[in-house]
Amino acid sequence: MRAALILAVALLAGAPAIAGTADAAKPDETALRYYASQHQRARVEAETERLRRRYPGWQPPADLWTARAGGEDEDGLWDLLAAGRDADLGTALVTRAKAEPGWKPSAALQAAVAARALRQSCLSLARTGRWAELAIFSAGRRSEIEAADAEVVWAAAEAYGRTERQGLALDLLRAVLTAGRFGPEERRVSLLRAMQILPMSDVDQLAALGPARDLDAIRVDLVRGRIGAVLHDEAGQSVPPEDLAVFQAYAETAPDPDQAALVAWLAFKRHDLPTALTWFKRAIARGGDAMVAHGLAHTLRLLGLRRDAEDVAYAWREPLVNNTLLFIDLLEADLTQEDPPAIEPERLKRYAEVTLATASGEGAQALAWYAYNRCQFDTALSWFRRAVAWFPKEATVYGYALSLRRMHQERTFLDVVNRYDGLFPRVVSLLFQSAVGRPMSCETAPTRVARTVTGPVSGYLDLASPVGAAKSGRVPQPDEVIANRASAAPVIRRSDFPVAVLMENDLRAAPTNSPVADAHWSDRPRGRPPTVARRVPGIGPMPYERYGFSLLPAWNGAEQASQPSAAESPAPRGTLWADERAAQADEPARGQVQAPTIPERGAPTTTGSIGAPQVMRNQIVREKAP
């Protein structure tokens, strides 16, 4: 069919150009008569109005609705065109041209056949998603596209928008709307299609090209677009109160939860939390998805209803990973306090189950700090071990080392310190501290009993009440949680896993035969060479560097500590690191034992009379594991 039309267009190419034969002083009524032959009254009215504006005093022909467009004996050809029988039309044109030498179709028929071929080419490319080809095709035939019907214009504009040519899409839609060829309904659809590919500011420009009364039917759609623009921080966009009231009235009765959710997100962005809470609840009641629940949980969190926010995030954790992360973060702030509130075992168990299911390093270290600060050191050690495996950041490794020391696992403690030598200064600084340290609040506080607190902080336990200590907030061991799971553990041969592996730090390397190295390692026993950590770019100096010890150069050749260190440098805005730093600044310290002042050069340490350099030689450096 398309091939037949192309053949017909090629045949017609030899005919005189339509524009060239038209009388400049007389309006071209070809399009008008074609629309009338197709009984497209809206387009006839628009074309009539355009011709009247361009040619004052012109009146439409009296036989507009009765005359047959074209030349003599073309009725059959027009019937084929109107019926959409393009293949038969192409065959008929070729047959007649052969039978009647010198015969040419009328100008009206030529225009109609060319318009049909253009339409089929554009819509075929659009249906198959070949937007880049359609954009190139439309750019080369701009005048024909502007004169085509609405569907062709919309397809070309969408092709421009999908290929990052929004400027061309705006120019095309502006040209056809300015020409006045479209009726009110086509104008409204043009604006709705434009909202999908253009910024709302461009849509507002197009909306101003015609009577405002024509847009009353799509006012809700335009307001919805403005709300979306505000939520996406589009410059210069706002939602006037009268427009918001119209959309809220619509969303009140709309069964679609997304409409109520839009109102909720806009209120949330404006920090109108009570309004956001009402609309988020309404959206959830109408079948809102996990993202709506995410907004509801954040709104509850900001309103101080943290327990409710925790329950919402937990209930919607599986459909959306953001809710899982929020659930972990909500309770983490309380679990990591130095003197944490007692939390019911059921909540701790639920938190532990999610932590294990997602291998969350943040969740594991939160449970570990909670257990540590409640003097459950064996449980803290188990959770810290997992946290270090999943997310070995400095605070987690520091807590792991503290727990090892509390459990008197001195050899493993020294191994951990050595493994992160060169990377985490705070961990290495533990060697300069007393193994006893200052007493913890859970060790010095008198025996306290608990009662459940109600109100805004419901779910926590008041340790000052005389109700009994059954709910003391004991953290379950990871193995307990795993044993209580309904699903059985997979069968695996003991000889396959786990197997012994070397846990060497990748940042370690054998020292060179430099005078500095010889001065520090000359009294070490010979055999396997000891390992020395390399410097890590972005990390501050190690505690022992003030005593003359130096790390090996970093991978980029740097020999000095970075200043400021990565931990001291400002965090990029909008990152999780920035949120964590802000939270640490606002909240009390997360229960870690404060490090005492590092002694000056040559001063004895609290562990005895051995100087700090000797401590480093005996404890920091170790031989490679066999």
Side-chain angles (χ1 to χ4, degrees):
M1 183 182 296
R2 185 181 175 193
L5 267 183
I6 294 175
L7 180 61
V9 172
L11 174 66
L12 300 177
I18 299 173
T21 59
D23 185 1
K26 182 180 179 182
D28 184 1
E29 300 175 353
T30 302
L32 180 68
R33 290 188 176 275
Y34 174 68
Y35 293 145
S37 69
Q38 299 295 311
H39 303 287
Q40 301 179 14
R41 293 188 175 275
R43 293 184 178 178
V44 168
E45 292 175 2
E47 181 67 9
T48 300
E49 183 64 25
R50 185 183 72 84
L51 293 176
R52 280 175 174 167
R53 288 199 307 268
R54 183 167 295 184
Y55 301 96
W58 172 86
Q59 293 296 328
D63 62 344
L64 177 62
W65 296 101
T66 58
R68 169 71 70 177
E72 296 181 0
D73 302 326
E74 287 187 346
D75 290 352
L77 300 176
W78 282 100
D79 291 339
L80 292 174
L81 182 64
R85 297 166 58 184
D86 297 330
D88 295 339
L89 175 61
T91 303
L93 288 171
V94 173
T95 302
R96 185 165 181 178
K98 290 181 179 179
E100 302 179 25
W103 174 83
K104 297 288 184 182
S106 65
L109 184 57
Q110 293 181 51
V113 172
R116 176 66 65 83
L118 177 69
R119 173 187 172 86
Q120 288 196 357
S121 297
C122 291
L123 297 187
S124 175
L125 292 172
R127 280 193 297 268
T128 55
R130 296 152 65 184
W131 301 110
E133 295 180 41
L134 179 54
I136 296 173
F137 177 81
S138 302
R141 305 179 68 171
R142 173 66 181 271
S143 59
E144 298 176 66
I145 295 292
E146 290 183 6
D149 60 57
E151 289 190 48
V152 174
V153 173
W154 297 334
E158 185 173 0
Y160 290 143
R162 287 177 176 266
T163 56
E164 305 298 329
R165 297 176 174 91
Q166 280 81 6
L168 292 178
L170 177 61
D171 293 342
L172 174 61
L173 293 173
R174 183 191 289 120
V176 296
L177 292 176
T178 303
R181 291 180 44 240
F182 288 177
E185 183 61 28
E186 291 171 321
R187 179 168 169 249
R188 287 192 289 266
V189 175
S190 297
L191 294 178
L192 295 178
R193 299 287 290 266
M195 288 170 60
Q196 302 175 13
I197 58 175
L198 296 177
M200 200 60 201
S201 57
D202 293 344
V203 177
D204 290 337
Q205 295 182 34
L206 298 175
L209 296 177
R213 64 178 180 275
D214 292 347
L215 306 182
D216 291 341
I218 60 170
R219 184 180 181 185
V220 169
D221 301 283
L222 294 175
V223 176
R224 184 188 296 110
R226 292 191 181 93
I227 293 176
V230 170
L231 293 178
H232 288 87
D233 297 318
E234 186 177 321
Q237 286 298 311
S238 62
V239 184
E242 58 274 13
D243 285 349
L244 181 58
V246 170
F247 191 82
Q248 285 178 330
Y250 162 75
E252 284 272 6
T253 58
D256 181 10
D258 291 341
Q259 310 310 311
L262 272 177
V263 180
W265 283 114
L266 180 63
F268 183 85
K269 188 175 183 66
R270 292 176 169 179
H271 303 287
D272 185 1
L273 297 180
T275 301
L277 180 62
T278 300
W279 283 96
F280 273 129
K281 288 182 176 180
R282 186 170 295 160
I284 286 290
R286 295 174 184 175
D289 59 12
M291 196 62 201
V292 176
H294 191 64
L296 174 61
H298 272 294
T299 304
L300 292 168
R301 174 182 64 85
L302 294 176
L303 286 171
L305 304 173
R306 297 178 62 86
R307 176 60 189 275
D308 295 329
E310 179 187 330
D311 289 340
V312 171
Y314 177 78
W316 290 86
R317 69 192 185 281
E318 292 184 357
L320 185 66
V321 68
N322 303 55
N323 289 324
T324 303
L325 299 177
L326 180 59
F327 172 75
I328 294 293
D329 292 342
L330 281 170
L331 198 53
E332 180 194 7
D334 297 316
L335 292 174
T336 52
Q337 293 181 22
E338 184 174 2
D339 189 10
I343 303 174
E344 313 99 302
E346 293 78 10
R347 288 177 65 198
L348 291 173
K349 180 182 177 182
R350 182 176 71 175
Y351 192 85
E353 289 173 348
V354 175
T355 296
L356 288 173
T358 59
S360 170
E362 293 288 356
Q365 64 89 24
L367 289 168
W369 278 119
Y370 183 82
Y372 183 88
N373 289 320
R374 297 184 67 80
C375 296
Q376 302 168 21
F377 300 120
D378 56 339
T379 303
L381 185 60
S382 298
W383 283 109
F384 271 128
R385 184 178 293 115
R386 282 168 169 78
V388 168
W390 294 335
F391 187 14
K393 63 178 183 179
E394 186 175 44
T396 302
V397 177
Y398 182 78
Y400 183 38
L402 282 177
S403 299
L404 288 169
R405 175 170 278 184
R406 284 282 181 174
M407 296 298 293
H408 306 290
Q409 298 184 21
E410 192 67 19
R411 179 58 191 171
T412 307
F413 164 76
L414 294 176
D415 286 345
V416 169
V417 172
N418 276 270
R419 184 172 298 121
Y420 294 96
D421 176 21
L423 186 61
F424 296 147
R426 193 180 184 195
V427 177
V428 178
S429 69
L430 285 173
L431 292 174
F432 295 87
Q433 301 177 20
S434 168
V436 177
R438 64 181 178 85
M440 298 176 59
S441 58
C442 60
E443 295 174 319
T444 59
T447 302
R448 297 181 294 182
V449 292
R451 67 177 175 85
T452 304
V453 178
T454 58
V457 292
S458 60
Y460 299 97
L461 299 175
D462 183 3
L463 297 179
S465 120
V467 171
K471 297 181 178 180
S472 58
R474 188 185 72 84
V475 177
Q477 285 276 3
D479 293 338
E480 294 179 27
V481 178
I482 296 174
N484 292 332
R485 286 182 178 175
S487 58
V491 178
I492 186 170
R493 293 186 304 176
R494 182 63 182 82
S495 59
D496 292 339
F497 183 85
V499 295
V501 293
L502 283 177
M503 296 299 292
E504 290 293 340
N505 186 356
D506 294 337
L507 303 173
R508 288 191 167 275
T512 59
N513 294 325
S514 63
V516 175
D518 291 341
H520 285 291
W521 312 109
S522 58
D523 59 343
R524 296 289 294 170
R526 298 301 177 182
R528 289 176 179 260
T531 56
V532 181
R534 289 189 179 277
R535 187 171 298 285
V536 180
I539 300 298
M542 290 293 111
Y544 47 79
E545 290 190 67
R546 61 168 54 191
Y547 301 108
F549 182 85
S550 297
L551 295 171
L552 290 178
W555 58 269
N556 58 1
E559 298 182 351
Q560 300 298 323
S562 303
Q563 293 294 340
S565 67
E568 299 168 338
S569 60
R573 293 182 59 186
T575 61
L576 294 176
W577 184 17
D579 296 341
E580 183 177 337
R581 295 290 296 274
Q584 290 175 350
D586 295 338
E587 298 176 1
R590 292 188 169 185
Q592 294 91 332
V593 177
Q594 297 181 354
T597 305
I598 297 177
E600 296 296 332
R601 181 190 299 270
T605 65
T606 55
T607 57
S609 59
I610 302 178
Q614 187 65 30
V615 171
M616 294 313 306
R617 288 162 60 186
N618 290 346
Q619 296 181 339
I620 288 288
V621 181
R622 62 183 175 86
E623 304 226 344
K624 288 186 178 180

